[in-house]
Amino acid sequence: MSDPGHAPFLIHGIDELRAKRENRGSVGLVPTMGALHEGHLSLCKTAARENDLVFMSLFVNPTQFGRGEDLESYPRTLEDDMEKIRRLNVELSSEQTGDKARDTKPCVHYVFAPNSRSMYPNHPPSSEPDAAGTFVNVRPLSSVLEGRTRPHFFRGVATVVAKLLNIVQPTRVYFGQKDAQQCAVIAQMVDDLHFNTNIRVLPTVREHDGLAMSSRNTYLGGAESERRQAATVLYDRLTACKARYEKGAVTRQEILGGDADPTSYKEKTFHSGRVPWMLDYVSLADRFTMQEVDERVRERGAIVSAALWMLPFEEGIPEREKRNANSGSKDDHEDPTRVVRLIDNIILPPRNETNYMRMC
């Protein structure tokens, strides 16, 4: 086991992980695809405080990427990720847990970084509908919102999470609220397949201007880039819905405003300054089923979700964006010509919030 305050042990093999897992008390699992940010690290902090042993997985899962998506270019930053976890362990080592029964300081003990062959041992991983292999489909949750635009996505997510739950057998598994539909899909899968684990969904971690943290935000450029600054339009749209709800809006039309009618934004290009973008959907749905709702929002609560595409500049790339993209001091994944998909959501709590406190 790694000493708290130092780098976690790196594991590539499933058998090795299972040997480390045996008879170790409560176990936390934080599944990620790497390219870690503060949102991931906040999950690790909670997992380290709540469990005797913590695993983080770093695996860019091919089956959740569709044709033409960013599987090949998705950030792979293992060395940086290991250093971030090491620094997190240093921070955690200074905490006073107050738990006298605990003989070690909280930390992330192991990083599990398998390859595709070990995760998909019998057939090459594929997101094609007729791909060979064993997959987990969660319907109808996986066919709405994100699933409507990316029909391959939740099959890939559910499959890889099922594999990780089987391999690690965690007491608790940790996800962020930003991926709310993913959480709902996984919760149904855990119930339906009787996985013996508890799902913990923690609040979305945001940048100072409200943008939900995501590994793909690096595609937008640094804080000064025009596309990065324009990306807050998504959060602004959601907070406007929340503000109307808090002021007494009760119907779908009142809460979503003009976005209640998809024809007001579908296949239309909007601009924030010189940055073009398109809305995919704006949803007011039940938090657990992701089915659209209109009535009883104040009684049952709801979730407002939205997704958009940040588009390339229409009139050529501004000189500052070119310099940022070509500068060695900037993130290597910044690309002002790339279409970037952003998703986010905000919970609208019911009047009696105690009736709504079930996880995910």
Side-chain angles (χ1 to χ4, degrees), residues 251-322:
T251 68
R252 180 183 187 82
Q253 180 68 53
E254 291 171 343
I255 294 169
L256 297 185
D259 290 338
D261 179 8
T263 62
S264 68
Y265 58 79
K266 277 291 188 181
E267 299 183 5
K268 295 181 181 178
T269 301
F270 301 88
H271 289 81
S272 295
R274 292 190 296 174
V275 180
W277 51 274
M278 296 178 68
L279 273 173
D280 183 14
Y281 62 80
V282 181
S283 164
L284 179 68
D286 180 272
R287 186 182 177 188
F288 310 114
T289 67
M290 290 294 166
Q291 297 300 309
E292 298 298 308
V293 297
D294 188 13
E295 301 176 346
R296 302 177 67 186
V297 175
R298 290 200 167 274
E299 177 184 340
R300 302 179 61 176
I303 182 170
V304 182
S305 307
L308 59 75
W309 293 283
M310 302 294 295
L311 305 177
F313 291 97
E314 295 171 336
E315 300 177 359
I317 303 169
E319 285 302 316
R320 185 173 64 178
E321 307 292 319
K322 290 181 182 178

Side-chain angles (χ1 to χ4, degrees), residues 8 27 34 102 116 138 166 173 175-176 214 254 291 296 326 330:
V27 174
R102 184 167 188 157
S116 293
V138 181
N166 184 41
V173 60
F175 299 96
S214 168
E254 291 171 343
Q291 297 300 309
R296 302 177 67 186
N326 294 327
K330 294 295 181 180

